[in-house]
Amino acid sequence: MRKILRLPRLLTGVLATGMLLLAIRTVGVPAPEVVENRRLAELPPAAGLLRNFSAWRSGVDAWLADRFPARQHLIGALNYLRYKLGYSGISRVIVGRDDWLFYDDGSHLSQVRPASISNADVDAWVHELKARSELLRASGIPYLVLAAPVKESLYRERVPGYLTAPGTTTVEILAAGVSAAGLDNFVDLHAPLRRAKAAGVPIYSPHDTHWTGEGAYAGYVELMRALAARGVPVRVLPRSAFHAPAPGSMPVPQDLAFMLGVSSFIRPEYPLLVADAAPPRITWLGLGRDWTADRVIDTGASGPVLLLTGDSFTNAWLPLLERSFSRIVFSHHQNGFFRPDLIARFRPSAVVLEVIESGMRHAMPPLAMPADAAPQARS
């Protein structure tokens, strides 16, 4: 009898929920952006009704489940509730303290724990760095390798406590090995970004993987000083030479919020920096046309030629560097960490490699280029 009495209550709840969902859709409440990383179910063809009714019915159920009214609203609200409770339903995103998000590359934020890199691996890494440095030095080309910090290494206080442990990081171990070998072309950007953070500069965002425009500027200052110290005719432009773009003119980076499905529920905090200058002329060097493709950026400014190899952290660097170089040849290091073909073709005034710290240990594979094939420097 009790089960029978529960049925009207259940039916009333289902009907009320359905009416609420239909009302949300009818009044036009914007659906939150939800990235599911899968294809939604397709409506099975009617011909399957007779061939295999059970399979056809399951297909229709899946199609209805993927398309019921206000589905995205419910998914987005659930994602946001989990986020506020400190739980992530995505393996690649970790919810930290104070609602900060961190990217898990599979190592569970290993950069905030002691490194596990052997002395032999460090020696091999330093040997390859020296080989590249000497090859370019023979042609009068300075070579710099810069380590871009991952967010968690600068915001340990926002990382869940169970993931952190004191100890020496991979970048610190490599930097010590480089120094012991008498090389000075490895630049760790942790210190300048820590100084900027201590001064109250928002160098990273709670909802994105990358440094902000302000964080990029702190790294830019260190890069330009290092190039000038090696004879490259550049100077550091003041912060006042750059400004934030007009609101709405550029998308606000919030990749972790998108991955977690909460981008429509948060207010992104990510200051960008650009300069007042004519758009550069871009020449693509292959079939690719996205930001990872090899390309030549002719800026229209006066200055030397830079060959920059890097990752997505360089996206915030390029608007700053375009004011100081006449040409920037860009290559993503998925196409190689060291590009003798581009060096020989464009004869840069300097070669710079930027690598995020979590990938730095892989940035010095054996040099395939013969030692006597030194490129010519730009006069």
Side-chain angles (χ1 to χ4, degrees):
M1 177 64 71
R2 289 181 179 178
K3 292 183 179 179
I4 295 175
L5 292 176
R6 287 185 188 136
L7 287 176
R9 296 177 185 176
L10 178 61
L11 181 59
T12 301
V14 170
L15 290 175
T17 301
M19 292 176 65
L20 175 61
L21 296 178
L22 286 171
I24 290 175
R25 188 168 186 178
T26 301
V27 299
V29 176
E33 297 182 73
V34 175
V35 180
E36 298 189 58
N37 293 319
R38 70 178 183 90
R39 292 186 62 181
L40 299 184
E42 298 290 341
L43 180 65
L49 175 62
L50 299 178
R51 287 199 302 266
N52 189 332
F53 176 74
S54 178
W56 182 85
R57 184 182 61 186
S58 297
V60 171
D61 287 345
W63 178 78
L64 289 172
D66 279 351
R67 287 165 176 80
F68 72 85
R71 174 177 178 275
Q72 284 184 279
H73 294 86
L74 284 182
I75 294 175
L78 179 60
N79 288 339
Y80 184 70
L81 178 61
R82 288 173 172 172
Y83 163 57
K84 296 302 290 186
L85 292 174
Y87 168 71
S88 170
I90 306 297
S91 62
R92 291 300 188 185
V93 180
I94 292 174
V95 179
R97 300 171 183 173
D98 303 320
D99 298 336
W100 276 60
L101 300 176
F102 298 91
Y103 179 71
D104 186 356
D105 61 3
S107 69
H108 311 305
L109 309 189
S110 63
Q111 305 307 312
V112 292
R113 296 188 299 278
S116 58
I117 182 171
S118 68
N119 292 334
D121 286 340
V122 173
D123 291 342
W125 198 96
V126 173
H127 172 79
E128 294 299 332
L129 173 63
K130 185 176 182 180
R132 290 157 172 76
S133 303
E134 291 178 348
L135 178 65
L136 291 172
R137 186 181 299 115
S139 300
I141 303 175
Y143 181 51
L144 286 176
V145 178
L146 293 95
V150 291
K151 183 168 69 172
E152 57 268 23
S153 67
L154 294 177
Y155 287 87
R156 284 175 176 252
E157 72 277 11
R158 311 284 190 182
V159 175
Y162 67 89
L163 289 173
T164 64
T168 308
T169 67
T170 297
V171 165
E172 291 171 333
I173 293 172
L174 292 176
V178 170
S179 179
L183 301 174
D184 66 350
N185 54 344
F186 181 67
V187 181
D188 181 5
L189 295 178
H190 283 73
L193 266 74
R194 285 195 183 102
R195 290 194 295 269
K197 178 191 173 189
V201 176
I203 56 173
Y204 284 78
S205 157
H207 307 113
D208 195 82
T209 312
H210 307 87
W211 54 23
T212 65
E214 298 289 357
Y217 179 77
Y220 154 85
V221 170
E222 198 71 12
L223 168 59
M224 297 296 278
R225 286 175 177 170
L227 288 173
R230 287 156 179 78
V232 182
V234 293
R235 64 183 181 87
V236 176
L237 295 179
R239 170 63 181 80
S240 58
F242 308 100
H243 63 273
S249 62
M250 298 177 66
V252 179
Q254 46 181 319
D255 58 0
L256 296 173
F258 276 119
M259 293 172 65
L260 201 59
V262 299
S263 60
S264 299
F265 296 87
I266 55 96
R267 179 177 296 178
E269 305 168 16
Y270 192 100
L272 294 162
L273 290 181
V274 296
D276 288 325
R281 180 169 58 87
I282 297 178
T283 303
W284 302 97
L285 300 179
L287 298 178
R289 293 294 183 273
D290 64 5
W291 69 270
T292 67
D294 292 353
R295 60 192 183 275
V296 176
I297 305 169
D298 288 301
T299 68
S302 60
V305 175
L306 173 67
L307 172 57
L308 174 62
T309 300
D311 50 37
S312 54
F313 275 64
T314 58
N315 288 336
W317 256 0
L318 289 174
L320 312 181
L321 296 172
E322 288 171 3
R323 290 284 303 274
S324 300
F325 294 90
S326 60
R327 169 175 282 184
I328 301 173
V329 182
F330 176 80
S331 171
H332 193 286
H333 49 58
Q334 68 184 10
N335 300 320
F337 290 98
F338 190 70
R339 296 295 302 273
D341 57 330
L342 298 180
I343 296 169
R345 179 177 175 182
F346 294 102
R347 299 165 53 211
S349 307
V351 175
V352 170
L353 170 65
E354 173 276 322
V355 182
I356 190 171
E357 67 170 303
S358 55
M360 185 57 74
R361 67 192 303 164
H362 307 294
M364 293 291 152
L367 187 62
M369 182 177 176
D372 59 352
Q376 296 300 309
R378 175 175 290 271
S379 58

